[in-house]
Amino acid sequence: MSTPEAGRLSEILARSATRRDFLSRASALSLAIPAVGAALTSCAPNGEQATDSAAASKRAGGAAASGSQESRLPHNSDSRLDSAVLKQEHATPSSATHEATAHAAETKYHRYDPMLPPLPNGNRLQVHFHAREAPIRVSDDLVVAGWTFEGDIPGPIVHCRVGDTVDFTLTNESDIPHSMDFHAAQIDPKTAFRSVIKGQSVSYTFKPKWAGIFMYHCGTAPVLMHIGSGMYGAIVVSPREPLPAAKEFVLVQGEYYLGDTVNGARPFDFQKMLSTVPDFVTFNGRPNQYIKEPLRVKVGDRVRFWVGSVGPQHPCNFHVVGEQFDTVYLGAPPGTPIRGVQTFAVPAGGGMCFELLCDVPGEFPFVNHAFGHGQKGAIGILAVEG
Amino acid sequence: MSTPEAGRLSEILARSATRRDFLSRASALSLAIPAVGAALTSCAPNGEQATDSAAASKRAGGAAASGSQESRLPHNSDSRLDSAVLKQEHATPSSATHEATAHAAETKYHRYDPMLPPLPNGNRLQVHFHAREAPIRVSDDLVVAGWTFEGDIPGPIVHCRVGDTVDFTLTNESDIPHSMDFHAAQIDPKTAFRSVIKGQSVSYTFKPKWAGIFMYHCGTAPVLMHIGSGMYGAIVVSPREPLPAAKEFVLVQGEYYLGDTVNGARPFDFQKMLSTVPDFVTFNGRPNQYIKEPLRVKVGDRVRFWVGSVGPQHPCNFHVVGEQFDTVYLGAPPGTPIRGVQTFAVPAGGGMCFELLCDVPGEFPFVNHAFGHGQKGAIGILAVEG
Amino acid sequence: MSTPEAGRLSEILARSATRRDFLSRASALSLAIPAVGAALTSCAPNGEQATDSAAASKRAGGAAASGSQESRLPHNSDSRLDSAVLKQEHATPSSATHEATAHAAETKYHRYDPMLPPLPNGNRLQVHFHAREAPIRVSDDLVVAGWTFEGDIPGPIVHCRVGDTVDFTLTNESDIPHSMDFHAAQIDPKTAFRSVIKGQSVSYTFKPKWAGIFMYHCGTAPVLMHIGSGMYGAIVVSPREPLPAAKEFVLVQGEYYLGDTVNGARPFDFQKMLSTVPDFVTFNGRPNQYIKEPLRVKVGDRVRFWVGSVGPQHPCNFHVVGEQFDTVYLGAPPGTPIRGVQTFAVPAGGGMCFELLCDVPGEFPFVNHAFGHGQKGAIGILAVEG
């Protein structure tokens, strides 16, 4: 334990008391998927490897030190940014860390505001996010053990224009290494999307080239675990030439794969994520939240839904009951619109823009029309007032 | 038991002897998904709530009575049309009602005619459907306990033009509340797509704005159960300016999630639907029906497939073996065609139009090329005669 | 046992010692899907039917002999090419034949070259493939019992232009009947894609009409088993008017559903395929192979990915970390490009073309952003050197 960081890291591993249970259970079920096994195996319970890794991470400022040992390891990351971090592979089988469950019972529910925030003044946007483990109340009777950006699931909606400059900083306040991958950035992920450990920050600047809704997420290995535990959100990039005036909403579909309650919070469960059958499917992190508190517009309004699916696995088959989209942009708006659409699938890791004109009043449910998932919470109401 | 309806409703609940078993089993399997649990919980076995609900439903003609009690309930509906109905939430864990299984052994198999029916004379179409529970023989050795429109799965194909007027009426002949959601209608679902109980009817009028194949389905909560038990079909809306002459077929892909045989019929199983691994995947409701009795055309014919996937969960990755589509319309025909396509995915709850020119004779299987599903019955033959 | 072929066929069946175990296990799990059961049932362990079938196959040169017996059988093929073969339905529950596992321990790993091979000289291409069962080492510690074209998974990449003539021959060197279905061919599958038994060949000629990446695969029933055991690959058809100069790569996503090790190789497992939860998801047949040995290009290069998903079940939600596609062709290039895309889903049985411009150096992971699958091996690195 030569560094404080290493100490913290080995604590994390020590806290994973479920690791052995998990492995033996996986084995009994013939579910011992090698990638997972390997990842878990690399969570060496002795401190030495962790110490080395943490030291290497500090030494190199996160730049990868490629080597023969590394190349023998399975890299189940989509960023492979920081080989020091990769060496320890924080494949925690659940998100139930101390911070993610502390004071779970006392956390309050709040509706996630789906309105697209206004554009920034000027052409430069400063965004500073903090990676935090925190319990999140997603319904009256459910608190999840979240890994978050800015303490919420999803993280905050970012809004800018094509060609604006985004200065982004991530500061990690969590015991587990984290990183940030913006799908709107064209940049070397090995450097920009590298993992940082507790107390450290990473900064980079990007200029979005294309309009659309783009996912952001933690890209630290195993990526499935970090996205699946809540580290995701959306940046909406508006075209420089404005689209037709509309009420604009952001809906980010995310799946929840949950284990048994720990300290009042249900943790996200890595093995269950691999099974791909979610417990809940949510818009903006809360099952059915916009049934309780609908989106409200007026007759005559054009409504623009910026819809992303962060998965981690499934598409959002977006549909509005009682309405049809006059326009869906499969690529960057305003390019290649298609017209007259009832339902279109937004792939996991992707985003699309859906528009409709509210010419009659009423209550129009918007749903993931794959109802095996819709029924698990991906339903809300668009209330059109006369 | 103040009303006959309420009596019938409580009978339904009484007949659901499996309810307790279901709940305890779900709990044992850690599958107690809250939305389901809540829906089932609201199926109160005492008659009082049912009485209230049925009374309210009659009183208000089905219009929703929003209130504080309602807002505390989980709404796992995509239409939320009739809060009276929602309050009792007929989340029967299987479709095995008395009517759905009566005389199952005597039901006859028939091929579902996939030909697009002719356009109506004039610009106005009267459509009157009846919601009925009935056993349906879908292959020589399989009868399912169906919830249907007009006694078949899928319900009848409706065909009209953009801008035609469709006068629609649904009469419910079933003990369970039902409703009708036409994806081709732009209308307030709270009123038009409201649930009606046995003996009641709901009527509405709509004018389709866009060409395409659009799903229709029962939207009564839980929607997954109603779609999954067979209450779906398709309306094809032709553009006013006719598309090129073609032999036109309608293929509606639907998944079957079945429980153990009850009275000679296999019921649709709600819990299995949530698992999203189907037993069968069908075109027009019968596994492999068009292998036995192919679609027949002649060399030189243009063939237009109107393909919908009603799910309830999965896309149809539509492909014709030995052919390529010269045209696929992702949105409303004739807009934005794409060319030269082997396979395209029609999302659950969506529809697309696929065209090919039959320039050689032969037997061309059409399939869902996601063969984990194709192998379960989503295969047919297009026979091109010289 | 009147013919050598029949002898071999019945040997196959005799070797399937697991058949009874399989059936009883399936039954116990309530997974006895009729199509499978029927297919297995038709693998009659007495030699007579096999003899008849093999004889019929020789007699008719593979042409289907339709009859009343045949029409009572479930046809779970997508080609139904050779009813003689269909009658015996080689629905082996796993791929662990003698040849597929022989000398498994001694097989060497090799990287599958993802570079698009050069176009042929002239307008005519001779392609002769051999169907072979063979163990394939797909990672240091994993050998699979493969059914292959040309001894590899995927089979070789074929490259030609729209309008070129492809003379194709398949010779079967395997005990199990096989066939070849090219999605780029417009031809009667009943004849061209018919199954052939060991020692026999089938030949046909086709002229691709459309540009794109098209799947090829064995279409012998049950198709799921043949695709799922490795009998797939891709043909890239370039437009006659060349696309912009680019470094061109071919990525074929395939899923692995594996049983327990037999003779040092893990067989592909039919029942697991039907469950649709894969053990591995691969680009070009090896989990994570292009993390170990990346794709290498230079700054300023345009990169064109020809991406196919052979499934057998799932799409590839293709994404490049740190990059955006300036162009995705949903249909045949150069038609209907969409612009500015982070992720698009290539359906199982389909293919799409993705382009980006490498304007910054770095290491850019390409992934299936459905991370429940990406995490199982569908990740590689695009290294852009300055």
Side-chain angles (χ1 to χ4, degrees):
Chain A
M1 295 305 140
S2 63
T3 69
E5 285 78 11
R8 281 187 206 107
L9 294 168
S10 62
E11 274 171 51
I12 297 163
L13 298 170
R15 275 202 295 270
S16 298
T18 57
R19 194 192 148 230
R20 265 173 222 280
D21 299 341
F22 169 74
L23 279 175
S24 65
R25 200 176 52 207
S27 169
L29 292 169
S30 294
L31 287 170
I33 291 148
V36 182
L40 289 163
T41 301
S42 64
C43 294
N46 64 64
E48 199 187 355
Q49 192 180 20
T51 304
D52 286 358
S53 306
S57 175
K58 290 176 72 177
R59 204 166 53 232
S66 277
S68 59
Q69 188 186 359
E70 182 209 349
S71 65
R72 289 199 318 273
L73 288 171
H75 296 282
N76 53 4
S77 162
D78 76 337
S79 51
R80 192 184 165 233
L81 8 119
D82 185 339
S83 61
V85 169
L86 265 181
K87 275 176 194 156
Q88 58 221 11
E89 294 278 9
H90 294 274
T92 319
S94 102
S95 69
T97 60
H98 178 73
E99 285 77 7
T101 59
H103 311 293
E106 299 151 35
T107 62
K108 303 283 183 223
Y109 174 86
H110 73 98
R111 178 183 188 260
Y112 186 99
D113 187 351
M115 286 197 59
L116 181 67
L119 280 165
N121 294 323
N123 292 320
R124 192 151 203 130
L125 188 61
Q126 313 291 330
V127 179
H128 189 171
F129 281 178
H130 301 78
R132 287 180 190 139
E133 301 158 40
I136 312 288
R137 183 172 297 278
V138 298
S139 70
D140 286 355
D141 54 4
L142 178 62
V143 177
V144 296
W147 295 359
T148 81
F149 292 115
E150 295 292 287
D152 207 351
I153 301 175
I157 300 165
V158 182
H159 187 195
C160 69
R161 282 176 216 87
V162 170
D164 283 353
T165 298
V166 180
D167 295 312
F168 176 75
T169 297
L170 175 70
T171 299
N172 189 357
E173 301 183 349
S174 157
D175 282 329
I176 294 169
H178 293 300
S179 58
M180 176 58 92
D181 170 346
F182 266 93
H183 286 192
Q186 290 181 288
I187 198 167
D188 182 6
K190 192 171 167 182
T191 305
F193 303 167
R194 71 181 181 273
S195 295
V196 288
I197 60 173
K198 188 166 186 168
Q200 290 191 340
S201 296
V202 56
S203 297
Y204 57 90
T205 294
F206 64 97
K207 293 190 183 198
K209 280 189 187 169
W210 297 99
I213 174 170
F214 295 94
M215 180 182 183
Y216 64 72
H217 65 93
C218 179
T220 299
V223 183
L224 175 61
M225 183 66 196
H226 289 251
I227 296 174
S229 297
M231 302 193 80
Y232 61 75
I235 177 171
V236 172
V237 182
S238 289
R240 293 211 73 83
E241 186 75 29
L243 295 169
K247 298 286 171 66
E248 298 185 270
F249 298 99
V250 177
L251 296 174
V252 175
Q253 181 184 286
E255 305 141 20
Y256 283 4
Y257 301 86
L258 300 176
D260 294 337
T261 301
V262 176
N263 294 337
R266 291 187 71 187
F268 295 99
D269 180 310
F270 186 64
Q271 194 60 28
K272 209 171 190 179
M273 292 174 198
L274 289 166
S275 79
T276 70
V277 181
D279 296 305
F280 295 96
V281 181
T282 68
F283 287 124
N284 296 341
R286 288 117 177 102
N288 301 319
Q289 69 175 317
Y290 304 121
I291 294 178
K292 266 199 294 196
E293 300 176 86
L295 279 52
R296 298 195 178 278
V297 300
K298 299 217 177 304
V299 168
D301 281 344
R302 171 163 293 275
V303 170
R304 182 171 299 122
F305 292 101
W306 297 95
V307 181
S309 172
V310 300
Q313 178 61 28
H314 296 289
C316 177
N317 295 359
F318 195 62
H319 172 81
V320 178
V321 178
E323 274 291 352
Q324 292 172 308
F325 304 111
D326 55 23
T327 307
V328 180
Y329 299 102
L330 305 184
T336 53
I338 64 172
R339 308 290 185 188
V341 175
Q342 65 195 300
T343 305
F344 213 88
V346 179
M352 288 176 186
C353 180
F354 295 75
E355 290 189 17
L356 57 83
L357 185 65
C358 296
D359 40 16
V360 289
E363 292 193 8
F364 301 85
F366 53 89
V367 304
N368 178 344
H369 215 297
F371 263 101
H373 290 166
Q375 203 71 58
K376 292 178 176 177
I379 305 183
I381 301 274
L382 174 71
V384 180
E385 284 144 23
Chain B
M1 294 305 138
S2 61
T3 70
E5 286 77 12
R8 282 191 204 104
L9 294 169
S10 64
E11 272 171 52
I12 296 165
L13 298 171
R15 275 204 295 274
S16 298
T18 55
R19 193 191 150 232
R20 266 172 221 280
D21 299 341
F22 171 73
L23 279 175
S24 65
R25 201 176 51 208
S27 169
L29 291 169
S30 295
L31 288 171
I33 292 149
V36 182
L40 288 163
T41 302
S42 64
C43 295
N46 65 64
E48 199 188 352
Q49 192 179 21
T51 303
D52 287 359
S53 306
S57 174
K58 289 175 74 177
R59 203 165 54 231
S66 276
S68 60
Q69 188 187 0
E70 183 209 349
S71 66
R72 289 198 320 271
L73 287 171
H75 296 284
N76 51 6
S77 164
D78 75 338
S79 50
R80 191 183 166 233
L81 6 117
D82 183 340
S83 61
V85 168
L86 264 182
K87 274 176 195 157
Q88 57 221 11
E89 293 278 9
H90 295 275
T92 318
S94 102
S95 69
T97 62
H98 178 72
E99 287 76 8
T101 60
H103 311 292
E106 299 150 35
T107 62
K108 303 283 183 223
Y109 174 87
H110 74 97
R111 177 182 187 262
Y112 186 100
D113 186 352
M115 285 197 60
L116 181 67
L119 280 166
N121 294 323
N123 292 320
R124 193 153 203 129
L125 188 61
Q126 313 290 329
V127 180
H128 189 170
F129 282 178
H130 302 78
R132 288 180 190 139
E133 302 159 40
I136 312 287
R137 184 172 297 279
V138 299
S139 69
D140 287 353
D141 54 3
L142 179 63
V143 177
V144 296
W147 295 359
T148 81
F149 293 115
E150 295 294 285
D152 207 352
I153 302 175
I157 300 166
V158 182
H159 187 196
C160 69
R161 283 178 217 84
V162 170
D164 283 353
T165 299
V166 181
D167 294 314
F168 176 76
T169 297
L170 175 71
T171 299
N172 189 357
E173 301 183 350
S174 158
D175 282 329
I176 294 168
H178 293 299
S179 58
M180 177 58 91
D181 170 347
F182 267 94
H183 285 192
Q186 291 181 287
I187 199 167
D188 182 5
K190 193 171 166 181
T191 305
F193 301 167
R194 72 181 181 274
S195 295
V196 287
I197 60 172
K198 190 167 185 165
Q200 291 192 338
S201 295
V202 57
S203 296
Y204 57 90
T205 292
F206 63 98
K207 293 190 182 198
K209 279 189 189 169
W210 297 99
I213 174 169
F214 295 94
M215 182 180 181
Y216 65 72
H217 64 93
C218 179
T220 300
V223 184
L224 175 61
M225 183 66 196
H226 289 251
I227 297 174
S229 297
M231 302 194 80
Y232 61 75
I235 177 171
V236 172
V237 182
S238 289
R240 293 210 74 82
E241 185 75 30
L243 295 169
K247 297 288 171 65
E248 299 186 270
F249 298 99
V250 177
L251 296 174
V252 175
Q253 181 184 285
E255 304 141 21
Y256 282 6
Y257 302 85
L258 301 175
D260 293 338
T261 301
V262 176
N263 295 337
R266 291 186 71 185
F268 294 99
D269 180 310
F270 186 62
Q271 195 61 26
K272 209 171 188 177
M273 292 174 198
L274 290 167
S275 80
T276 70
V277 181
D279 296 307
F280 296 95
V281 182
T282 69
F283 287 124
N284 295 340
R286 289 116 177 103
N288 301 318
Q289 70 175 315
Y290 303 121
I291 294 178
K292 266 200 294 197
E293 299 176 87
L295 280 52
R296 297 196 179 278
V297 300
K298 297 218 179 304
V299 168
D301 282 344
R302 171 164 293 277
V303 172
R304 182 171 299 122
F305 292 102
W306 298 94
V307 181
S309 172
V310 300
Q313 178 61 29
H314 295 288
C316 177
N317 295 359
F318 195 61
H319 172 81
V320 179
V321 178
E323 274 292 352
Q324 293 171 306
F325 304 112
D326 56 24
T327 307
V328 180
Y329 299 101
L330 305 184
T336 53
I338 64 171
R339 309 289 185 188
V341 174
Q342 65 195 301
T343 304
F344 214 88
V346 180
M352 289 176 187
C353 180
F354 295 76
E355 291 189 16
L356 57 83
L357 185 65
C358 297
D359 41 15
V360 290
E363 292 194 8
F364 301 85
F366 53 89
V367 304
N368 178 344
H369 215 295
F371 263 100
H373 291 164
Q375 202 72 59
K376 291 177 176 177
I379 304 183
I381 301 273
L382 174 71
V384 180
E385 283 144 25
Chain C
M1 296 303 141
S2 62
T3 69
E5 286 77 13
R8 282 187 205 105
L9 293 167
S10 63
E11 273 171 51
I12 298 163
L13 298 170
R15 275 204 294 274
S16 297
T18 57
R19 194 192 147 231
R20 265 173 221 281
D21 298 342
F22 171 73
L23 279 174
S24 65
R25 200 176 53 209
S27 169
L29 292 169
S30 295
L31 289 171
I33 291 148
V36 182
L40 289 163
T41 302
S42 65
C43 294
N46 64 65
E48 199 188 354
Q49 192 178 21
T51 303
D52 287 358
S53 305
S57 174
K58 290 175 73 177
R59 203 165 53 232
S66 276
S68 60
Q69 188 186 2
E70 183 209 349
S71 66
R72 289 199 319 273
L73 287 171
H75 296 283
N76 52 4
S77 162
D78 74 338
S79 51
R80 193 183 164 229
L81 6 119
D82 183 339
S83 62
V85 168
L86 265 181
K87 275 177 194 156
Q88 57 221 9
E89 294 278 9
H90 294 273
T92 319
S94 101
S95 69
T97 61
H98 179 74
E99 286 75 8
T101 59
H103 311 292
E106 299 151 35
T107 61
K108 304 284 182 221
Y109 174 86
H110 74 97
R111 178 183 188 259
Y112 187 99
D113 187 351
M115 284 197 61
L116 181 67
L119 280 166
N121 294 323
N123 292 321
R124 194 153 201 129
L125 188 62
Q126 314 290 330
V127 179
H128 189 170
F129 282 178
H130 300 78
R132 288 180 189 137
E133 302 158 38
I136 312 289
R137 183 173 297 278
V138 299
S139 68
D140 287 353
D141 53 4
L142 178 62
V143 177
V144 296
W147 295 359
T148 81
F149 293 115
E150 295 293 286
D152 207 353
I153 302 174
I157 300 164
V158 182
H159 187 197
C160 68
R161 282 177 217 86
V162 170
D164 283 354
T165 299
V166 181
D167 294 314
F168 176 75
T169 297
L170 175 71
T171 299
N172 189 357
E173 301 183 350
S174 157
D175 282 328
I176 294 168
H178 293 298
S179 59
M180 177 57 92
D181 171 345
F182 267 93
H183 286 192
Q186 290 180 287
I187 199 165
D188 182 5
K190 193 172 166 182
T191 306
F193 302 167
R194 72 181 181 273
S195 294
V196 288
I197 59 172
K198 189 167 186 168
Q200 291 191 339
S201 296
V202 57
S203 296
Y204 57 90
T205 293
F206 63 98
K207 292 189 183 200
K209 279 189 188 168
W210 297 99
I213 175 170
F214 296 94
M215 182 181 181
Y216 65 73
H217 65 93
C218 180
T220 300
V223 184
L224 175 61
M225 183 65 196
H226 289 251
I227 297 175
S229 298
M231 302 193 80
Y232 61 75
I235 178 171
V236 172
V237 182
S238 290
R240 292 210 75 81
E241 186 75 29
L243 295 168
K247 297 289 171 65
E248 298 186 270
F249 298 99
V250 177
L251 296 174
V252 175
Q253 181 183 285
E255 305 140 21
Y256 283 6
Y257 302 85
L258 301 175
D260 293 338
T261 302
V262 176
N263 294 338
R266 291 186 71 186
F268 294 99
D269 180 310
F270 186 63
Q271 195 61 27
K272 209 170 189 179
M273 291 173 199
L274 289 165
S275 78
T276 70
V277 181
D279 296 306
F280 295 96
V281 181
T282 68
F283 288 124
N284 296 340
R286 288 115 178 103
N288 301 319
Q289 68 175 316
Y290 303 122
I291 294 178
K292 266 200 292 196
E293 299 176 86
L295 279 51
R296 298 195 178 279
V297 300
K298 297 217 178 306
V299 169
D301 282 343
R302 170 163 293 277
V303 170
R304 182 172 299 123
F305 292 101
W306 298 95
V307 181
S309 172
V310 299
Q313 179 60 28
H314 296 288
C316 177
N317 295 0
F318 195 61
H319 171 82
V320 178
V321 178
E323 273 292 352
Q324 292 172 308
F325 303 111
D326 55 25
T327 307
V328 179
Y329 299 102
L330 304 183
T336 53
I338 63 171
R339 308 291 185 187
V341 175
Q342 64 195 302
T343 304
F344 214 88
V346 179
M352 289 176 185
C353 181
F354 294 76
E355 291 188 17
L356 57 83
L357 185 64
C358 297
D359 40 16
V360 289
E363 292 193 7
F364 301 85
F366 52 89
V367 304
N368 179 344
H369 215 297
F371 263 101
H373 290 165
Q375 202 72 59
K376 291 177 177 178
I379 305 182
I381 301 275
L382 174 71
V384 180
E385 282 145 24

